[in-house]
Amino acid sequence: MPSTAPSIDSSKPEIDPSQVVDVGVLKELAKRYLVDALNSVNGPKTLVLDPSLAGPLGLVTEVALLKQHGVDKMFWLEPGPLQATTTNIIYLCRPQVQWAKLIAEHVKQHTKESQNHVYTLLVVPRESSVVKRILEDEGVLGDIHISEYNLQFIPLEDDLISLEYDHAFKEIWLDGDETAVYNSAQALLTLQKIYGLFPRIIGKGDHAAKLKNLLKRLQSQSPRQAPGSHTLSEKIDSLFIIDRRVDMVTPLLTQLTYQGLVDELMGMTSGHVELPASLLAAPTAQQTPSASAAASTSAAGRTALTKEKKKKHHLTAANDTLFRDLRDLNFSVVGANLSRHAHRLDSEYQSRHQAKTVPQLKEFVGKLGGLQTETQSLKLHTGLCEIVDPQTKTEVFNKSLEIQQNLLALYDVNAQISAIEDLVAQGVDVAVVLRLLCLASIVAPGIKPKVFENLSREILQTYGYHYLPLLLNLSTLHLLTTQPLSPAAQSLKLPLSALKKSLRLLTEENETDNDISYVYSGYAPLSVRLVQCVAQKGALLAAPAPVGEEAGAVPKAKAPKTRSHPIVGWKGFEDVVASFPGEVFDVVQAPDGGATDSSANAVSVLLPREDTTTTVVFFLGGCTYTEVAALRWMASQMRGRRFLIATTGIIKGSSLIEDLATSL
Amino acid sequence: MDDEENPTASWAAMPDSSAFYRKLSVYQLQWPIHDLSDYVIAGARYGGPLALMRDATKMLAMPRMGSSSRQSIQIFSSSGEAINTISWDQGRIIRFGWTFDERLVVLNEEGIYRLYDLRGDYAQHSLGPEAGEMGVIDARIYENGLVAMTGAMPGTSIGLLEVKGWIGGKPISLASPGLTEPPHAWSIVPPDVFISRHVEVLLASEATIIAVDALEAADQHLARGPFLHVAPSPNGKRLALLTATNVLWVVSSDFQNSLVEFDVNAAAHDAGASSGALVQYVQWCGDDAVFVGLDGLTLLVGPGPSLPYFYPSATFAVSEIDGIRVFSADTCDFVQKVPKNALDVFLPGSTEPSAILHDAWMHFTKRSPRADEAVRHIRPELASAVDACVDIAGWEWNVRTQRALLNAAKYGRAFLDSYNPTDFVLMGQTLKVLNAVRFYEIGIPITYAQFVHTSPSHLLVRLTARSQHLLALRIAAYLSMKPDAVLKHWASAKIARAKKADGSSEDDATVCKTIVEKFNQLGGGEVSYADIARRAWEVGRLALAIQLLEHEPRPADQVPLLLEMKDDKRALLKAVDSGDTDLVYTVLLDLHRRLPLGDFFRMVEDGGPRLAPAANLLQVYARQQDREMLRDFYYADDRRVASAILALEEAVGMDDPAAKAASIKAAQKFFSEDKGSAFEAKMMDENLRLLAFQQELEKDVDHKVKFVGLSVSETIKLCLVNGLSKKAERVKKDWAVPDKRFWYIKLQALTQLGDFEGLSQFVKSKKSPIGYEPIVHHLAETGHAKEALAYVPLVEQKKRVDLYAACGDWQAAGKECIALKDRTRLENVTRMCTDALARRELETMLRSFG
């Protein structure tokens, strides 16, 4: 690497903090609701936790806070008896049948053993008639006080908030259970309560449109007393909603940014990644134990939460400036970046030799703490790279990347399918194979039936016949399609060749330096391109000048940042966005809670402002870290606009596919 | 009332202190009650009504012996206007009291309690079977809940049950106080004033007090008991206790500070009453004086000696936050401490600025020039004098005095350069409202402090509960408040009345129209039409209910009522349209319980695409909770593939091979019945065959190896690893496994075994269908680089460089580059090389290259 390019300017000093949408409020809200819920029960209490909530809760509270509010012990909600020493038992869970049944079992067991407990059930995010019904059928409804813990958006980073629903995609599109849509509307309503009405709501996708309609309806029903809830937001200029179904290509591809790869290869849950303890051993790595890591094990032999030698680490830019610099880089340049940081640190350490006078020495000592933290974080990321790097060098990894890129380029699709078949023969991870196969189905006009049948058979024989429901589910969703396309599949078909041109989905190697496509080394995520259609039209209308000589994969913000343009809807891209499946909408919200169709005229609210404004981008059905990276990069290219990325959850291709496997 | 009366005429000085108390004569009562001692009485705070019930323990001459067992409770306003009479036909009444929203709570010995509104409509709740068995012996009712005392069985303690909020919640058992007998006296400190925010019960037992909350019962180790009266102050910070020897003892509520000790007998004697008179009640007058009621005499006890008030007959007192309301057979009085501002203004000889300002105004009305002089005199303190006058106007009851004070304030204001008139305007508005509701026909003697404490909207609620809709609406408009609650009540009353007429007088459409118009006109945008519709339905006007319900914008309010009205289809549609999945579940679960399964399915299925979300949710629910129902559902709808998947999913979770096979067979059958699923049926055939073969295999190896549950490939591999290559070949043949896949499996199996000899033989046995590159890669990636090298020469020359590099044989890689005459690649290899020694050699090669 001849010259290392400056990394994305992440500190954004030119933004006035008072104009930034502060998502800390959301965390405080989540914390306060929890504390209120705990305090409603008098005296010491035992907390029994739905394991899927451990991650989200860990992001909003610490164990110390729970202890402070009377939580004596914590257990996972899991099969087997529960031995509680306190009279009060509080259950905290999502409204799922399995949890209700476990709770009923506990209560019945305790009654049989004539243990006297007072039960409180906090359902997240709201009370559920199903849970009530099951408790009633089990005959324990009268013994349990049911209430709710309204946990909505949780900040993962200062520009990323998530509902942390792991299965939203599957529930909405496979099961047809639109609870996540409703809950998303409620959560967005809360955002409106805090920050004011979104002046404009723009989006794409049938379910995105549903969500928009629901949001408007709920807003019109919400009581008017709440001050501010019916005035337009001053900090937010619009809400962009995109549903995952609109862009299935992006999550199927292997993410190539640092954080994206860590998620792909090591798996991140609620911002946490499991690392070898040795990487975290240094004194600075002491984490405040998150709630997720602290539920204790009981005598009944409950599963130990912390696995030996592995530790959960919260990867966040909030306490790790190095990570802020690295997370969104293409992995290929992370190594170079790390070494640059190492050199800088080293020279800063060296500066102690120049410290001749006492004041100079004092200054150095003052910096020492920061340097040690940085050293620790450098060690952490070097270690992490050492784990990730070999996995990106394997034959299978590179083969699958090659197939992906060939498929996107529509280069000899048949050959790609036989390459996929070859991967099946090698018995590589089933998720890898299915991701590629789905991608092939989407880009090509379906797979030939004979070929498909043969491939299916290969897959079932290799991985087991119990994968048949998954294959059928993927077909139901038209993620796997055969020729000729059924009318339903035809209506969902993405005209990829046309879109590649009109939205420049594929870029030449030398262009990636100056475009969001750097995140996939040459492919620009369709979802983020759509955001660009609305929020950064310039990037799409004029192809950026190639940056010839320097071939680093870091996009450089060399050109002076352009001033962001006001949001004027899809203007200029109406035909393009209408050309593929998914409802297109664009409404201007009036302060009285009503909304008018923007196509008429609503320029008055869209006058360019000199201050920084925030555009909220909501992904219904989840988004990948790579899409987050691309949006951040977009923001770094503009003056005057930030993005607040909101999502039902962070997803990746493999978990998306695996989620569809079980209908249970 | 005499308007010319001096405001201080009703004042009396507390002996030995600078404090003054005022006894206002609020109302002269014209009611059919002659002796309060014949009744059990409960009074609502904030100038609320009184509930009276004949005291059954008192002997009295019964004029007629009609319904002797019937108990009845009469309700009067504070001005003695009859509001309602409640006749009680349940078990014996233990106690009754008032809620914050002025509903009368009546509790009987069986633990049944009812909440009556002032119109006599009630909701009934129970304290549960436990209370019924033990029997309720006493209770204390506060604004937001009650604590009931249940009787003690031999050998057990009396119990305490708490109910919070008046929504019929499950009672909570408080800690056992460990008493086998009821206490001498007891009381509760409501949660909103107790530090822990939970209710505290104080029981006087033997010589001490036991404090009980949900967690523990703590003996306070007092020795001065037994206590006959226990009364916590309105703010919960102090406690008045009366000993058996009639000594009143006031302590802080944590029992740490003794504040006052007072001999009631001596004081009564001084006041001329017979000594040893029985204390009827001990109540607080605000938070700083205690009011002790004896026969014909009441004593106001402050820090020093007491202030006696004489009454000709028995009295009853309601403690208020800022004083005390005292009822006798023909008066309603209000006793309260005179605040400092009032002393400043009215105390004769006062030279305070406020007094001078008030004086100045008086001079001004008399056109005396001394007015101007007086105001100039107090110029520096004028602003605070104005404030004081405004403040004390709120405290005054006499309209003329109020006006004089406000005028004085206004007069003083004129001399100020800048004065924020908000307080002044608000006070004027508020006084208008207060004077209106104090009028005897309304009969709510609420003070300014109480009005502020309870909020204006609370007053509206109270007025509507008395059906004073017009006044309430006017007040709402006057104070710019939402009229919603009033309108709602009005509409309910309207519906009820419209029915009571003859039925034909007002038809549904007219009533609905009147209500909707009124709401739109008065801006009652937030009124719940569902509540009104429910009311209509309750009085039997179904059509009206449905019409009203159509105006309800909130589906969450529409749906439950529609369900109750058994309008199932509409309920389901509304629920689905709302997008609220929980609401859909509510309907589905209700229908599932009520309707025959066939009808239920038909309703969901026949809804077409519009009800598709409901059908989906039904499946999600059934899949987890009621698979039998789901099977029926799919079967009824001829959904073979879904049935097959369901069977297949179940097979996965099964351990028993026979059951597993049965489930797979079922799946196979369903697939074969579906004409588009021939392939799937075939796969299930294969699956069954595999299962049988695996069972056989396990038998062959004496169950030492577990095959069941593995895939075809995994079975082959496991056979190879366990030396069953014949069997592996058989699987390959029977399941038509392609050569390619078989080679990969065998490569992996042999590598896993470390049988590189075998691998070598196998590879040489015929031309590899997978080429040789993957073999090298596999070996290299599994850590067998040395073995891998043997296969590199079999690969075409171009690719060898990278393969050698992958195996770590840099030298060989370099040589290949030279053989290929490719300098660039040699450079690449050199750069990638991680081995220092090899790198030096590569560099030599590079130099020699040219």
Side-chain angles (χ1 to χ4, degrees), chain A residues 224-257:
Chain A
R224 314 240 150 163
Q225 284 94 334
S229 70
H230 290 267
T231 52
L232 290 180
S233 175
E234 289 177 359
K235 291 181 178 174
I236 296 175
D237 66 354
S238 59
L239 165 69
F240 187 96
I241 307 175
I242 181 168
D243 76 40
R244 193 68 269 173
R245 201 66 186 85
V246 168
D247 173 17
M248 285 309 294
V249 175
T250 304
L252 290 174
L253 300 174
T254 309
Q255 306 182 63
L256 293 177
T257 60

Side-chain angles (χ1 to χ4, degrees), chain A residues 292-331:
Chain A
S292 55
S296 68
T297 53
S298 81
R302 309 193 143 242
T303 34
L305 294 175
T306 40
K307 291 205 179 68
E308 64 293 339
K309 297 258 160 88
K310 287 259 184 180
K311 263 180 110 171
K312 279 202 167 171
H313 176 71
H314 189 189
L315 262 189
T316 165
N319 58 14
D320 185 346
T321 49
L322 181 58
F323 183 59
R324 186 181 286 273
D325 288 348
L326 296 177
R327 60 184 176 184
D328 300 326
L329 297 181
N330 189 299
F331 188 68

Side-chain angles (χ1 to χ4, degrees), chain B residues 282-360:
Chain B
V282 173
Q283 290 280 9
W284 283 81
C285 169
D287 286 309
D288 41 31
V290 180
F291 203 77
V292 181
L294 298 107
D295 259 342
L297 167 73
T298 60
L299 293 168
L300 186 64
V301 183
S306 66
L307 186 61
Y309 290 111
F310 294 94
Y311 285 91
S313 60
T315 56
F316 174 77
V318 182
S319 173
E320 300 276 8
I321 53 164
D322 57 344
I324 191 161
R325 222 153 16 110
V326 186
F327 290 89
S328 70
D330 40 30
T331 57
C332 167
D333 296 340
F334 186 68
V335 177
Q336 76 183 136
K337 192 175 180 183
V338 178
K340 181 178 176 302
N341 277 345
L343 293 176
D344 289 351
V345 178
F346 293 123
L347 215 56
S350 167
T351 55
E352 293 295 326
S354 51
I356 292 170
L357 178 61
H358 185 244
D359 236 26

Side-chain angles (χ1 to χ4, degrees), chain A residues 498-534:
Chain A
L499 287 179
K500 275 197 300 193
K501 273 199 217 87
S502 52
L503 292 176
R504 288 203 308 117
L505 295 184
L506 295 190
T507 54
E508 295 302 318
E509 201 172 316
N510 53 12
E511 286 177 357
T512 58
D513 294 353
N514 223 340
D515 187 70
I516 56 166
S517 57
Y518 84 91
V519 294
Y520 283 108
S521 300
Y523 162 78
L526 171 58
S527 53
V528 184
R529 274 284 193 247
L530 288 174
V531 180
Q532 279 185 316
C533 288
V534 169

Side-chain angles (χ1 to χ4, degrees), chain A residues 250-406:
Chain A
T250 304
L252 290 174
L253 300 174
T254 309
Q255 306 182 63
L256 293 177
T257 60
Y258 181 44
Q259 194 169 12
L261 259 182
V262 170
D263 190 22
E264 293 270 343
L265 299 174
M266 306 185 63
M268 289 187 68
T269 46
S270 297
H272 286 72
V273 62
E274 270 195 8
L275 294 175
S278 56
L279 273 185
L280 303 164
T284 45
Q286 273 170 2
Q287 294 284 308
T288 45
S290 63
S292 55
S296 68
T297 53
S298 81
R302 309 193 143 242
T303 34
L305 294 175
T306 40
K307 291 205 179 68
E308 64 293 339
K309 297 258 160 88
K310 287 259 184 180
K311 263 180 110 171
K312 279 202 167 171
H313 176 71
H314 189 189
L315 262 189
T316 165
N319 58 14
D320 185 346
T321 49
L322 181 58
F323 183 59
R324 186 181 286 273
D325 288 348
L326 296 177
R327 60 184 176 184
D328 300 326
L329 297 181
N330 189 299
F331 188 68
S332 62
V333 298
V334 169
N337 231 281
L338 276 174
S339 97
R340 193 167 52 82
H341 277 283
H343 281 123
R344 182 181 53 79
L345 266 180
D346 187 51
S347 66
E348 290 201 22
Y349 270 118
Q350 293 307 324
S351 73
R352 73 180 186 276
H353 296 304
Q354 273 106 52
K356 299 277 194 287
T357 64
V358 173
Q360 281 171 346
L361 202 62
K362 194 177 167 200
E363 190 197 334
F364 175 78
V365 173
K367 284 198 297 190
L368 207 54
L371 288 180
Q372 277 167 349
T373 318
E374 278 194 69
T375 313
Q376 170 55 25
S377 119
L378 191 63
K379 181 182 155 214
L380 172 88
H381 291 291
T382 316
L384 197 50
C385 282
E386 270 177 354
I387 300 170
V388 171
D389 192 55
Q391 299 188 55
T392 64
K393 296 268 162 62
T394 62
E395 189 60 16
V396 172
F397 184 87
N398 286 303
K399 188 76 200 169
S400 108
L401 271 192
E402 185 189 327
I403 297 173
Q404 286 171 14
Q405 288 179 349
N406 287 341

Side-chain angles (χ1 to χ4, degrees), chain A residues 126 133 217 457 462 465 663, chain B residues 577 580 623 686 711 735:
Chain A
R126 61 189 188 119
R133 173 61 173 272
R217 200 162 66 226
R457 191 164 162 275
T462 305
Y465 293 103
S663 313
Chain B
D577 289 348
D580 179 350
R623 185 165 272 130
E686 276 193 10
S711 71
W735 272 266

Side-chain angles (χ1 to χ4, degrees), chain B residues 707-739:
Chain B
F707 283 98
V708 172
L710 296 183
S711 71
V712 174
S713 292
E714 287 158 352
T715 308
I716 295 176
K717 189 172 169 193
L718 200 59
C719 285
L720 291 170
V721 169
N722 284 289
L724 303 163
S725 49
K726 281 260 169 53
K727 297 280 184 194
E729 290 288 344
R730 165 128 183 252
V731 178
K732 174 180 185 300
K733 190 165 138 280
D734 288 2
W735 272 266
V737 173
D739 258 354

